[in-house]
Amino acid sequence: MQVDLIETFLDLMETRSFNRTAERLNITQSTVSHRVKALEAQFNRKLFTRNKGGTVPTAAGLRFLDYAKALQNQWHEATRAVTSAGALERSMRLGIQHDLAEAFAGEWLAAIRLDLPTTEIYMEADYSNQMNRDLGAGDLDLALLYTPHYLPDLHYERIGDLHYVMVSRDAASLSDIRIETYIQAIYSPAFDRAHRLALPHLSAAPVASGQNMAITMLLHSLGGAAYVTAATADRLVHSGRAKLVADAPVVPQTVYAATSLRTRHAHQHRKIIGAMQVLLSAGSDAAAGS
């Protein structure tokens, strides 16, 4: 497979500029032209036209786009599998939302290792936007995230909820929470919308963050009140460092599993997703009982 031809084609589809693609790939413009011509020769079809308005894909180029993405993904997967081959039979690259990693990474990886002992696991914590991009590029095999982008080659499924509750350093009632000392949590667009609907008077706070660990540190340094995961709230309350704001609404955050369309039913993917579903279900039961 001449992967450089595929990657040049995909970059040109994005930039619509031979000059810009040459800069991004650190090659000459003539090399870009040569690679495009090589692809066109294989298909015996023009993939781009160039005019005063720039570079425009032809109907053939647009039809080839999805196949080119799939070929690039397969190449990346094959490269990782071959170059990292050791004593283990398979390898998986997993992405997980920061707050999920903080709450469940250890238990999740332990369950995966138990179910898939011959699979090599790489895990990284990130935000949804980057994980969607990495999945689309074939740099991740599976991701657990808050905000799906519903890209054409990806499959998303809802697997549960992570619950956030309000705690405060000094107030035990919602009526005592002041906007001046409130730390607004923006864990995802969906969480932000739910928060604004439930608590519009607290949706223009002077300080905001999108990560549970950061908000916990801000509470420690600044005081005030904020939404944190139910597990973090439990730790803060039991250590005496915060109070539960009992009459504040619990805000659930939906968790999605994302994979490529062709691997969504694969045995190892189902095992990995199932392990997180069990943890989320247990966490939901604990939140409901507290």
Side-chain angles (χ1 to χ4, degrees), residues 21-192:
T21 287
E23 291 175 1
R24 289 181 15 155
L25 299 182
N26 196 28
I27 57 179
T28 65
Q29 185 178 340
S30 62
T31 300
V32 175
S33 298
H34 175 76
R35 290 178 180 178
V36 171
K37 288 178 181 178
L39 268 180
E40 291 175 336
Q42 292 187 32
F43 294 122
N44 196 27
R45 290 287 188 277
K46 293 287 290 183
L47 300 177
F48 297 95
T49 59
R50 300 171 72 176
N51 53 44
K52 292 181 179 179
T55 300
V56 180
T58 64
L62 292 171
R63 286 196 179 191
F64 181 53
L65 178 59
D66 288 342
Y67 296 99
K69 289 180 179 177
L71 288 169
Q72 183 190 50
N73 290 349
Q74 289 177 353
W75 176 257
H76 286 175
E77 290 175 12
T79 300
R80 288 201 309 270
V82 173
T83 57
S84 64
L88 301 181
E89 297 173 2
R90 298 176 180 272
S91 66
M92 291 284 290
R93 293 178 65 87
L94 310 178
I96 181 171
Q97 194 88 19
H98 281 289
D99 288 3
L100 282 174
E102 183 185 346
F104 298 123
E107 294 173 281
W108 187 47
L109 263 293
I112 294 171
R113 295 293 299 128
L114 186 63
D115 282 340
L116 301 170
T118 61
T119 299
E120 178 186 51
I121 302 295
Y122 170 81
M123 184 195 73
E124 63 181 21
D126 213 328
Y127 292 102
S128 295
N129 284 344
Q130 186 60 51
M131 287 189 285
N132 279 296
R133 287 193 290 268
D134 290 343
L135 282 163
D139 294 327
L140 288 176
D141 298 302
L142 183 150
L144 303 177
L145 43 78
Y146 285 176
T147 308
H149 285 184
Y150 295 104
L151 300 173
D153 301 323
L154 301 183
H155 171 76
Y156 298 91
E157 60 182 285
R158 180 186 178 278
I159 63 169
D161 296 308
L162 188 67
H163 293 85
Y164 290 87
V165 299
M166 188 187 292
V167 295
S168 172
R169 288 281 300 276
D170 46 29
S173 173
L174 190 58
S175 60
D176 295 327
I177 304 299
R178 297 183 296 119
I179 185 68
E180 295 84 2
T181 57
Y182 185 64
I183 302 166
Q184 187 174 348
I186 308 177
Y187 295 117
S188 72
F191 183 96
D192 190 37

